[in-house]
Amino acid sequence: MNLSSNGVAIPFSPALFGPLRATGTDDLPDPVALRERLHEDGYLYLPGFLDREDVLRLRARYFSQLPAGFLAPGTSAREGLFSGRVPEGIPEHGVAGHPAHAFVRSETFDRFLDDPRLRKLAADLLDGDARMLPRRILRHFHRGVRRASRAHVDFDYMNEGSPRVVTMWIPVGDCPPQSGALVYLEGSHRLPPEAYEPLRDTTDRPGDRRQICHDLEFTARSLDRRWLWTDFSAGDLMVHLPRIIHASLDATTEAMRLSIDTRFMRQSDAPDPRWLRAWSADDGA
Ligand SMILES: O=C(O)CCC(=O)C(=O)O
């Protein structure tokens, strides 16, 4: 596999990559065991937790909002294949006027996320009444941009509220590594922040100290641990803790990468105020 992140290649080698541990969803462990596993690994990988058809329907709904010429000719919105050309005049992804901005404010999106199974899972993991924070992000990457999520921990983006948060990441479509899957740095939720502070100087985005690093090989070697990966299918769900280092790979396939990330916390905990508004890509949060 030829992989890169933000245009920087990373060899797909056993020294740098290992498998995510799956938690079977047919017979989900009891809440205590689930919480233990989440805190042990820093994540839960729940293959097939969501209904594949629901997820693919959502994919089709979003891609059908894109202007003509975005999708490869003769293909369906459900496939979400990139034509190789972004039509002129479309605003930046996720800002007002872009379809993703309207989509996260739509009834379709609300209905999809207002899933009692997600709420119950969040409540089990937080061991209390859970609420979803209103800032829910729709990410869409296609080949050619060589742009992905840099290595980071979520807490650095939401540090004005309680750290007792769980993030759910939902691939909206099949998402192998080459389509821009998320990868997790093994056991990194246990690292003290001082351990990765120096990595923030190696960056393609000076001026933003929140991200840790754009170079995933350098990150793995410096912290002496592997990136955990999998070949995501539509219907899979990832849950992670706010202190685990994660990043995404560049999308290089014809199939575009679409995903949602959404966060839950206990009703009684104080949220970071920046997460109480609907997401806009230019909201600075
Ligand atoms: O989807 C991505 O590339 C990043 C998502 C993320 O960082 C998260 O869900 O916390």
Side-chain angles (χ1 to χ4, degrees):
M1 264 198 289
N2 286 327
L3 300 177
S4 64
S5 180
N6 290 290
V8 182
I10 174 165
F12 186 64
S13 69
L16 294 171
F17 284 95
L20 279 168
R21 174 156 76 138
T23 299
T25 49
D26 286 343
D27 190 13
L28 217 54
D30 68 72
V32 175
L34 263 186
R35 278 200 294 280
E36 276 173 13
R37 184 173 264 221
L38 173 66
H39 287 273
E40 187 181 332
D41 289 349
Y43 67 83
L44 290 176
Y45 162 41
L46 301 162
F49 185 88
L50 297 166
D51 183 78
R52 177 176 173 84
E53 267 313 302
D54 288 352
V55 173
L56 292 176
R57 214 172 298 123
L58 192 76
R59 181 175 176 87
R61 291 293 285 267
Y62 170 70
F63 283 131
S64 66
Q65 305 297 311
L66 296 182
F70 213 121
L71 297 178
T75 64
S76 68
R78 178 179 159 113
E79 291 169 283
L81 304 183
F82 183 42
S83 65
R85 186 181 67 81
V86 176
E88 273 171 35
I90 180 168
E92 280 284 302
H93 177 77
V95 304
H98 186 279
H101 188 273
F103 201 70
V104 299
R105 290 163 176 77
S106 70
E107 226 183 288
T108 303
F109 191 71
D110 277 346
R111 228 179 298 119
F112 177 81
L113 285 176
D114 187 23
D115 179 332
R117 290 188 69 216
L118 292 180
R119 240 189 348 264
K120 157 127 185 25
L121 178 63
D124 285 348
L125 295 174
L126 292 162
D127 194 17
D129 267 359
R131 68 149 149 171
M132 186 184 282
L133 297 180
R135 188 170 183 270
R136 305 167 306 183
I137 305 176
L138 185 74
R139 299 185 203 258
H140 166 193
F141 295 105
H142 55 73
R143 76 182 137 84
V145 290
R146 295 152 67 92
R147 211 182 70 216
S149 301
R150 295 160 181 85
H152 68 282
V153 300
D154 288 359
F155 188 65
D156 286 337
Y157 293 81
M158 45 193 330
N159 56 4
E160 293 170 19
S162 165
R164 191 159 44 189
V165 177
V166 289
T167 297
M168 293 189 184
W169 184 80
I170 303 170
V172 185
D174 295 338
C175 189
Q178 305 94 316
S179 292
L182 217 59
V183 286
Y184 290 85
L185 199 63
E186 194 168 18
S188 55
H189 57 301
R190 288 200 211 92
L191 287 172
E194 307 82 71
Y196 47 83
E197 190 57 34
L199 272 68
R200 297 188 202 267
D201 296 329
T202 301
T203 178
D204 63 349
R205 227 193 214 179
D208 186 352
R209 297 283 294 179
R210 294 176 302 176
Q211 75 220 353
I212 296 169
C213 189
H214 68 293
D215 183 333
L216 301 193
E217 178 175 3
F218 175 73
T219 303
R221 293 202 189 281
S222 304
L223 297 172
D224 193 23
R225 52 197 69 219
R226 304 176 297 174
W227 289 103
L228 303 182
W229 71 283
T230 197
D231 188 350
F232 289 104
S233 296
D236 293 353
L237 175 68
M238 280 302 303
V239 184
H240 63 252
L241 292 176
R243 299 270 192 198
I244 189 162
I245 299 176
H246 56 291
S248 64
L249 297 162
D250 289 336
T252 55
T253 53
E254 205 185 358
M256 293 186 276
R257 195 264 251 189
L258 187 68
S259 64
I260 297 169
D261 41 280
T262 183
R263 287 153 185 89
F264 288 85
M265 61 193 308
R266 277 194 195 167
Q267 294 276 8
S268 53
D269 281 346
D272 183 321
R274 295 169 294 181
W275 290 76
L276 294 176
R277 288 185 296 270
W279 166 75
S280 176
D282 56 0
D283 63 16

